[in-house]
């Protein structure tokens, strides 16, 4: 099984081992995306579980060649947004993963980057996380966000501009 | 300027300020790419597979053989000064319009006011028998198939609507209420979901709000759907917005601008087997134009719903059946040199 489309076809036929393969390929990316969206590890794990179960249940609805990653992250994103709608704004974020070996000033900058990402509103945050962090193509990210590539580009530009503005003190830039 | 808002190389060569900004951006991008990542916990895979094995993919009970039966009964005493308690039912099943519904026997809640029915897999007849044996008077029976929720049962409309709204709210089904119907002419689920949205947004008196909704005037429903459509558009869901706009009747003409905007954002819409049933009406006999035709895609069959001019262009084409304002296109038999509108052809090209 060497392509997402082939795995999806096996899933649609009811193969749970195909689901294992899919999780192995994309699980970590989905989990990290959801974690950045909902900022709560336990919730991110629950939502990851729900994402893959929905992929499993609706595998027969996937159109081969339609861009699986875009579809997958669209499901994850919708679940994240639904979770955020129901969650109180006062709830605190959980601790973030630290990168071992980071010098102190890098750690501070990373915390600043994390905080800045949190301050970027939807739908711009999704665009930034999907493209700049999770490495989706513009087409995949546009599919995940249910928008055109042009709209996604616009959102990404605004997210980057906002990020530059929020991180200006750390980067010594003019913005 | 490139399409993603970044200055191009020619500009950067002559602008130190932008060069500094770009260097800052590059540093940020590098930091984003190297953000620490959470490792996937191995036990999570096991949990997912366990749940998947309990519910096979692609399971489907044919509608004719057994309308999927979910028995959920709320017995709420009157008067009702507060919103009814939610009911514990299989969230996954309802939220996804799942094809297989699980049902257990009924059990009364400790205070006797709310009956809760949990879930296990049962056939329709056995589920009916269990409900018949339940101690709750006037049960509400809900028949769930792939795309519709049929509400049929005794008691007043208020019982039906209370049931429906609990489902809609507790499991966040209100965006999907366009697929719910009832055995009468009203759509209690949608109306009560609207009522509850109002109650939660504006406060006020619960009973009065529900009685207003129970009036089920078509103009109320139209205004409510218009508001729901706007909410969906603001939330970045133009497809759902169009589903609501399809039910605003005469209000569509004066709100054509925002409907066009939703249509432009939605683009070609592929909704699998979830029917957006009124979208040909959304075309408003040419008063609203979108840049796409709406379609349902199932395997090699594409059902083009509208706008009307695109559907009409399929008449007489081999491999196409025009049925009740829809063009059902069998891609395997369709003559691809047939003269259909460019928008319809674009939909078929994407559907392939």
């Amino acid at each position: 099984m060497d392509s997402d489309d082939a795995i999806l076809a096996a899933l649609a036929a009811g193969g749970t081992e195909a689901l294992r393969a899919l999780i192995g390929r994309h699980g970590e990316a989905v989990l990290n995306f959801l974690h950045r969206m909902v900022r709560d590890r336990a919730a991110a794990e629950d939502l990851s579980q729900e994402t893959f179960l929905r992929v499993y249940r609706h595998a027969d609805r996937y159109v081969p060649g339609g861009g699986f990653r875009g579809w997958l992250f669209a499901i994850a994103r919708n679940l994240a947004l639904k979770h955020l709608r129901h969650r109180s704004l006062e709830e605190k974020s959980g601790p973030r993963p630290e990168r071992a070996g980071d010098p102190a000033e890098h750690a501070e900058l990373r915390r600043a980057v994390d905080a800045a990402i949190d301050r970027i509103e939807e739908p711009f945050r999704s665009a930034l996380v999907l493209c700049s962090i999770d490495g989706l193509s513009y087409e995949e990210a546009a599919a995940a966000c249910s928008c055109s590539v042009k709209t996604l580009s616009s959102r990404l530009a605004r997210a980057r501009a906002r990020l530059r503005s929020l991180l200006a003190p750390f980067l010594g830039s003019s913005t | 300027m490139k399409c993603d808002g970044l200055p191009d190389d020619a500009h950067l060569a002559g602008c130190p300020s932008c060069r500094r900004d770009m260097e800052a951006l590059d540093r940020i991008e590098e930091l984003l790419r190297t953000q620490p990542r959470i490792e996937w916990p191995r036990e999570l895979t096991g949990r997912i597979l366990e749940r998947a094995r309990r519910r096979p993919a692609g399971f489907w009970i044919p509608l004719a053989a057994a309308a999927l039966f979910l028995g959920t009964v709320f017995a709420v005493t009157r008067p009702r000064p507060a919103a009814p308690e939610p009911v514990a039912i299989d969230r996954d099943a309802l939220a996804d319009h799942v094809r297989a519904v699980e049902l257990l026997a009924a059990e009364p809640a400790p205070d006797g006011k709310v009956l809760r029915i949990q879930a296990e897999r049962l056939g329709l007849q056995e589920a009916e028998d269990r409900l018949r044996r339940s101690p709750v008077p006037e049960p509400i029976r809900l028949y769930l198939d792939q795309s519709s929720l049929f509400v049929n049962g005794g008691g007043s409309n208020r019982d039906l609507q209370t049931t429906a709204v609990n489902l809609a709210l507790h499991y966040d089904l209100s965006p999907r209420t366009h697929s719910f119907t009832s055995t009468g002419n009203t759509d209690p689920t949608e109306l009560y979901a609207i009522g509850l949205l109002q109650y939660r947004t504006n406060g006020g008196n619960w009973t009065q709000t529900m009685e207003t909704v129970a009036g089920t005037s078509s103009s109320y429903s139209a205004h409510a759907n218009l508001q729901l459509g706007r909410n969906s558009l603001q939330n970045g869901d133009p497809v759902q917005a169009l589903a609501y706009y399809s039910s605003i009747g005469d209000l569509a003409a004066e709100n054509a601008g925002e409907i066009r905007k939703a249509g432009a954002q939605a683009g070609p819409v592929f909704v699998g087997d979830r029917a957006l049933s009124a979208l040909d009406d959304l075309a408003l006999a040419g008063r609203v134009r979108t840049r796409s035709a709406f379609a349902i895609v199932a395997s090699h069959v594409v059902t083009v719903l509208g706008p009307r001019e695109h559907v009409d262009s399929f008449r007489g084409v081999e491999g196409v059946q025009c049925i009740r304002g829809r063009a059902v296109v069998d891609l395997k038999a369709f003559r691809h040199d047939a003269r259909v509108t460019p928008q319809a052809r674009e939909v078929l090209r994407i559907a392939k």
Side-chain angles (χ1 to χ4, degrees):
Chain A
M1 249 178 254
D2 53 358
S3 75
D4 288 335
D5 283 1
I7 294 174
L8 263 290
L11 267 186
T16 52
E17 284 311 301
L19 182 58
R20 185 192 298 275
L22 209 61
I23 293 169
R25 280 186 178 212
H26 301 288
E28 195 163 289
V30 167
L31 175 63
N32 279 274
F33 167 71
L34 286 166
H35 185 249
R36 285 189 194 92
M37 291 292 288
V38 303
R39 294 159 287 162
D40 178 312
R41 172 139 188 185
E45 289 186 7
D46 285 345
L47 293 172
S48 298
Q49 186 175 184
E50 183 61 29
T51 299
F52 283 102
L53 283 172
R54 288 191 180 204
V55 167
Y56 177 66
R57 284 186 217 121
H58 302 308
D60 57 337
R61 296 186 188 179
Y62 171 70
V63 179
F68 172 70
R69 280 215 303 175
W71 188 59
L72 174 67
F73 278 88
I75 294 172
R77 180 175 179 266
N78 287 337
L79 285 169
L81 293 178
K82 188 170 157 181
H83 173 86
L84 289 170
R85 277 199 298 271
H86 285 115
R87 196 179 75 177
S88 161
L89 291 173
E90 281 76 43
E91 284 180 11
K92 291 183 180 174
S93 304
R96 302 177 190 284
E98 295 286 337
R99 193 159 119 135
D102 252 357
E105 65 269 24
H106 283 182
E108 186 187 353
L109 182 54
R110 286 195 185 281
R111 280 193 289 273
V113 170
D114 279 337
I117 294 172
D118 286 351
R119 289 176 65 181
I120 298 174
E121 305 85 359
E122 278 299 310
F124 311 106
R125 177 151 45 112
S126 290
L128 183 73
V129 172
L130 288 168
C131 291
S132 295
I133 301 179
D134 290 319
L136 267 67
S137 68
Y138 277 31
E139 287 75 19
E140 288 171 333
C145 296
S146 302
C147 65
S148 65
V149 170
K150 188 174 176 184
T151 299
L152 179 91
S153 295
S154 169
R155 291 177 183 176
L156 191 56
R158 286 182 65 173
R160 283 171 171 156
R162 180 91 170 110
L163 204 60
R164 279 205 303 277
S165 168
L166 290 169
L167 295 175
F170 292 88
L171 299 168
S173 79
S174 60
T175 52
Chain B
M1 189 74 72
K2 293 187 285 190
C3 67
D4 56 2
L6 298 174
D8 55 28
D9 292 341
H11 177 81
L12 287 175
C15 182
S17 171
C18 282
R19 271 204 303 278
R20 279 195 298 275
D21 286 349
M22 280 303 297
E23 285 164 6
L25 183 58
D26 287 342
R27 287 185 65 193
I28 293 171
E29 294 279 344
E30 175 64 22
L31 282 167
L32 291 175
R33 276 194 297 274
T34 57
Q35 283 278 295
R37 295 176 72 79
I38 299 173
E39 282 189 15
W40 178 267
R42 263 188 288 180
E43 66 274 13
L44 188 53
T45 302
R47 292 206 300 264
I48 295 172
L49 292 176
E50 174 62 30
R51 281 184 67 184
R53 285 183 194 114
R54 278 192 265 130
R55 187 195 302 276
F59 180 74
W60 162 240
I61 296 179
L63 187 68
L68 297 173
F69 179 68
L70 174 72
T72 305
V73 178
F74 302 80
V76 181
T77 58
R78 293 189 184 90
R80 300 196 200 102
E85 290 296 317
V87 166
I89 48 179
D90 188 313
R91 176 180 186 151
D92 296 340
L94 261 183
D96 291 339
H97 290 198
V98 78
R99 298 136 179 195
V101 175
E102 300 177 330
L103 174 70
L104 279 177
E107 62 179 66
D111 61 0
K113 290 184 182 178
V114 177
L115 183 77
R116 301 206 299 178
I117 294 186
Q118 309 273 326
E120 80 178 10
R121 193 178 297 279
L122 284 178
L124 174 62
Q125 188 58 53
E126 188 171 359
E128 289 266 17
D129 289 341
R130 289 199 184 192
L131 259 194
R132 208 169 288 126
R133 292 194 297 267
S134 80
V136 179
E138 300 182 338
I140 310 300
R141 293 186 176 83
L142 305 176
Y143 300 88
L144 181 68
D145 70 5
Q146 194 175 24
S147 62
S148 298
L149 179 67
F150 297 93
V151 181
N152 180 30
S156 68
N157 264 346
R158 191 166 294 176
D159 286 334
L160 290 174
Q161 289 156 345
T162 303
T163 299
V165 82
N166 270 286
L167 294 171
L169 275 183
H170 191 68
Y171 296 98
D172 197 23
L173 296 176
S174 52
R176 303 173 194 275
T177 58
H178 65 274
S179 72
F180 290 173
T181 185
S182 77
T183 55
N185 292 324
T186 57
D187 187 343
T189 304
E190 180 155 346
L191 291 172
Y192 271 67
I194 291 165
L196 260 296
L197 281 172
Q198 282 216 334
Y199 175 75
R200 286 192 172 177
T201 303
N202 303 326
N205 181 275
W206 161 257
T207 304
Q208 282 177 359
T209 301
M210 289 296 107
E211 284 177 351
T212 300
V213 174
T216 64
S217 68
S218 60
S219 66
Y220 176 87
S221 179
H223 281 287
N225 278 309
L226 178 63
Q227 187 56 53
L228 286 168
R230 285 175 179 160
N231 291 349
S232 296
L233 199 58
Q234 280 173 2
N235 291 336
D237 192 348
V239 172
Q240 183 56 56
L242 288 171
Y244 281 120
Y245 289 145
S246 69
S247 299
I248 63 174
D250 293 338
L251 294 179
E254 64 194 74
N255 294 286
E258 68 183 82
I259 298 173
R260 269 197 289 273
K261 185 178 171 186
Q265 287 184 17
V269 175
F270 300 101
V271 295
D273 53 8
R274 176 167 66 91
L276 297 176
S277 60
L279 290 180
D280 43 354
D281 294 332
L282 190 64
L284 301 171
R287 278 183 285 175
V288 172
R289 279 202 307 261
T290 72
R291 62 175 175 82
S292 61
F294 302 103
I296 301 170
V297 180
S299 184
H300 58 86
V301 176
V302 178
T303 303
V304 183
L305 294 173
R308 195 161 291 144
E309 60 190 287
H310 307 304
V311 174
D312 286 346
S313 71
F314 283 103
R315 291 191 187 282
V317 174
E318 189 176 327
V320 181
Q321 280 185 301
C322 287
I323 305 170
R324 285 186 290 177
R326 291 159 171 76
V328 182
V329 182
D330 182 343
L331 291 176
K332 290 184 178 176
F334 176 66
R335 273 186 42 237
H336 290 275
D337 59 349
R339 294 173 70 81
V340 298
T341 63
Q343 291 90 333
R345 187 169 300 284
E346 178 66 8
V347 169
L348 296 183
R349 182 191 70 79
I350 296 171
K352 274 199 292 184

